[in-house]
Amino acid sequence: MDIGWMSAVELAGALRRKELSALEALQAVIDRCEAVNPAINAIALPLYERARASAQQADRLLARGEGGPLTGVPITVKDSQWLAGVRCANGSRTLADFVPQETSAAVARLEEAGAVIFAKTTCPEFSYIGVTTSEFYGTTANPWDHSRTPGGSSGGAGAAVAAGLGPLSLGGDGGGSVRIPAAFCGLVGFKPSFGVVPREPCFPTWKSLVAYGPLARSVADARLMFEVMAGFHPGDRHSTEPHDHANDDLALGDFAVVASEDLGFAPLDRDVRQAFQATMRRLEGAGARILWDQPGLGSSVQPWATTAFADAWVSDRQHLELRPETLGEITRELLAFGSAFELDDFVAAQHAREHIHRAYLELFERTGAHVLVTPTLGCEAFGHGRRWPERIGNTEILPPWVDWAGFLYDANLAGFPACALPIGLGDEALPVSLQILGRRGEDRRVLAVAERLEEIIAWPGRYPELAGHGMMNGTRLSA
């Protein structure tokens, strides 16, 4: 039994049937971490002894036929997320000694459901950027190709799940930070509607943008983790959060999908465009109604960057003012970038957020579609060493991440649920992904559509036996 590649759903079932113990599952994942992590640097902080105590408790519960939906399942959480009594550096030397006394609500719900948290995963400093490198933790590698980035800021989470270091990892998405690693690592990444998954207590930065969400190797696993964190009863597929009227038994031909390959402005590499178009043809062939349209907006990177880094300046400037020598160069530049915005700039960005929200609602009303499907990113994972950001501080020059992540910001600005789903490999034999976006509050509808599309696409790269034999970077990663 290759525990490293079992899904969370499979592993939870095997534990309940007593086919293995929680301690055995944990030890298998720890052994895998010890073998694999030195090459990819996905783990920021091992919590093995803490996890062994949790696994022992899980085994006691399972022996009595008790426990929650994740009892005994080993998972990781991002280094930006709080666990009481556990260091939370958030990728920064300036927070190297910070130990929160409370646990983030979403993390607490995972532990209450029985999850065994065995490590915290790497992230860039303050989780500001879309690659995972910092002066504190170093650089995290993509398991598909160690010379490439796994994305960020939840890059350690993505690399861990892609390498079989547990079936689930909790990420945080303030500007694509779950969906970027999902796309670059061939995973499912789900950003819930804003506010559906509770976060506090947490760091104050980007409180109006960030949603905590799962990285997984299947939609079913992502759904399970999401439902636990959102406080729904996992397995009750017809219970709904407010404003969600999804029916998971809906046949594919019974709903419309509006599709846009570039939203009218986003650059796409040729192979990404071709993979997206081919996927849309497959969906049509399976009976989906594909309507080609778009919200009619330009790039939202400017309101996103204004919101994100004006907020960062207010929330994190004390680190720059008190201990600038402990911060990395990119962090200092981004904080300086945020300090340059005036109140009028920030207010204009908030007005733009509501305009974006209305434009998407009008798109769905106009087309009768339930979801919008786009590429997740415009390229495959790129190599380490790319300057991040390449230029900054001139508001007439948009930050460079618009070139490959322009599909992502609207979901954060308007609070929409969005799911990244792998669809195949590009010209460089690296994953390519599409994004499914729905109305605010219709998280389960987005996941239901994602699960239908996953069945049709049937991308084999997500399956453990192929991922384990896929010779990622020339190295067999299965234990």
Side-chain angles (χ1 to χ4, degrees):
M1 183 183 294
D2 192 345
I3 294 170
W5 292 112
M6 291 179 72
S7 74
V9 172
E10 291 169 339
L11 186 51
L15 288 162
R16 285 193 297 271
R17 293 188 298 271
K18 301 180 177 58
E19 295 171 4
L20 75 165
S21 70
L23 273 172
E24 289 171 335
L26 173 63
Q27 190 58 53
V29 171
I30 290 174
D31 291 345
R32 188 175 179 81
C33 282
E34 295 299 302
V36 172
N37 189 62
I40 61 174
N41 188 33
I43 302 302
L45 184 65
L47 300 172
Y48 298 157
E49 291 310 309
R50 184 183 189 278
R52 287 189 177 97
S54 297
Q56 288 171 345
Q57 173 62 13
D59 281 331
R60 287 191 287 270
L61 291 170
L62 291 165
R64 300 196 298 264
E66 299 174 0
L70 287 172
T71 296
V73 176
I75 72 167
T76 54
V77 300
K78 187 177 178 181
D79 187 44
S80 62
Q81 294 155 348
W82 290 12
L83 267 173
V86 174
R87 189 190 76 190
C88 190
N90 201 7
S92 179
R93 287 180 297 173
T94 201
L95 293 172
D97 298 322
F98 173 66
V99 178
Q101 299 307 304
E102 299 176 280
T103 298
S104 297
V107 177
R109 286 184 175 181
L110 290 169
E111 290 202 298
E112 289 164 5
V116 175
I117 299 173
F118 67 89
K120 300 189 79 180
T121 56
T122 52
C123 60
E125 190 165 41
F126 299 161
S127 298
Y128 277 173
I129 60 175
V131 295
T132 301
T133 185
S134 70
E135 294 180 8
F136 191 59
Y137 286 136
T139 296
T140 298
N142 191 320
W144 286 83
D145 181 339
H146 295 176
S147 72
R148 308 293 182 105
T149 181
S153 62
S154 306
V161 176
L165 309 186
L168 292 169
S169 191
L170 179 59
D173 192 315
S177 289
V178 164
R179 292 163 288 159
I180 294 169
F184 279 170
C185 295
L187 303 173
V188 175
F190 181 57
K191 186 204 82 68
S193 295
F194 187 77
V196 170
V197 172
R199 295 175 52 229
E200 294 184 333
C202 60
F203 291 114
T205 314
W206 294 10
K207 277 195 176 182
S208 74
L209 293 172
V210 173
Y212 285 175
L215 285 127
R217 292 190 294 270
S218 71
V219 179
D221 278 8
R223 177 197 292 276
L224 174 60
M225 191 179 201
F226 162 70
E227 290 186 338
V228 165
M229 294 188 297
F232 305 144
H233 183 270
D236 178 5
R237 296 170 63 114
H238 298 285
S239 67
T240 59
E241 66 267 34
H243 312 302
D244 183 2
H245 307 290
N247 181 342
D248 288 349
D249 293 329
L250 203 62
L252 186 63
D254 292 338
F255 60 79
V257 172
V258 61
S260 176
E261 63 185 17
D262 59 12
L263 292 178
F265 65 85
L268 278 183
D269 286 354
R270 179 188 56 82
D271 56 341
V272 177
R273 188 182 300 273
Q274 290 178 341
F276 182 77
Q277 292 173 343
T279 300
M280 292 303 101
R281 290 193 295 270
R282 290 186 68 182
L283 298 185
E284 280 190 307
R289 289 182 289 137
I290 306 295
L291 309 170
W292 293 89
D293 204 339
Q294 56 200 30
L297 300 167
S299 169
S300 60
V301 68
Q302 192 66 59
W304 178 82
T306 302
T307 301
F309 292 108
D311 177 299
W313 170 246
V314 171
S315 300
D316 296 332
R317 65 185 176 191
Q318 73 274 13
H319 302 304
L320 184 63
E321 293 168 346
L322 296 175
R323 301 180 65 196
E325 73 282 358
T326 66
L327 300 179
E329 178 186 1
I330 292 170
T331 300
R332 293 195 302 269
E333 289 181 352
L334 287 169
L335 287 171
F337 177 59
S339 73
F341 290 111
E342 303 288 344
L343 179 59
D344 287 352
D345 299 322
F346 188 80
V347 171
Q350 306 323 296
H351 291 171
R353 296 177 74 168
E354 186 52 36
H355 176 67
I356 291 165
H357 185 211
R358 289 197 307 270
Y360 277 83
L361 295 184
E362 290 167 2
L363 170 67
F364 291 133
E365 183 69 24
R366 179 171 70 247
T367 61
H370 299 89
V371 297
L372 169 67
V373 178
T374 71
T376 304
L377 298 173
C379 62
E380 297 165 74
F382 46 80
H384 301 303
R386 181 169 174 171
R387 179 73 167 87
W388 189 274
E390 294 165 4
R391 54 187 184 270
I392 197 166
N394 182 349
T395 56
E396 296 178 358
I397 301 175
L398 294 177
W401 49 84
V402 67
D403 291 342
W404 54 274
F407 298 100
L408 305 180
Y409 306 115
D410 288 347
N412 296 98
L413 290 167
F416 298 130
C419 185
L421 186 71
I423 58 175
L425 302 180
D427 288 348
E428 298 179 88
L430 296 168
V432 175
S433 173
L434 63 74
Q435 173 180 241
I436 304 157
L437 182 149
R439 292 179 179 87
R440 188 187 299 168
E442 294 194 349
D443 297 66
R444 281 186 158 179
R445 185 185 296 281
V446 168
L447 287 168
V449 173
E451 202 154 20
R452 295 293 181 268
L453 302 193
E454 181 183 58
E455 292 170 2
I456 294 165
I457 294 165
W459 178 54
R462 69 180 172 86
Y463 290 114
E465 62 270 24
L466 294 186
H469 290 79
M471 301 304 293
M472 300 178 188
N473 199 40
T475 303
R476 178 180 166 83
L477 293 179
S478 59

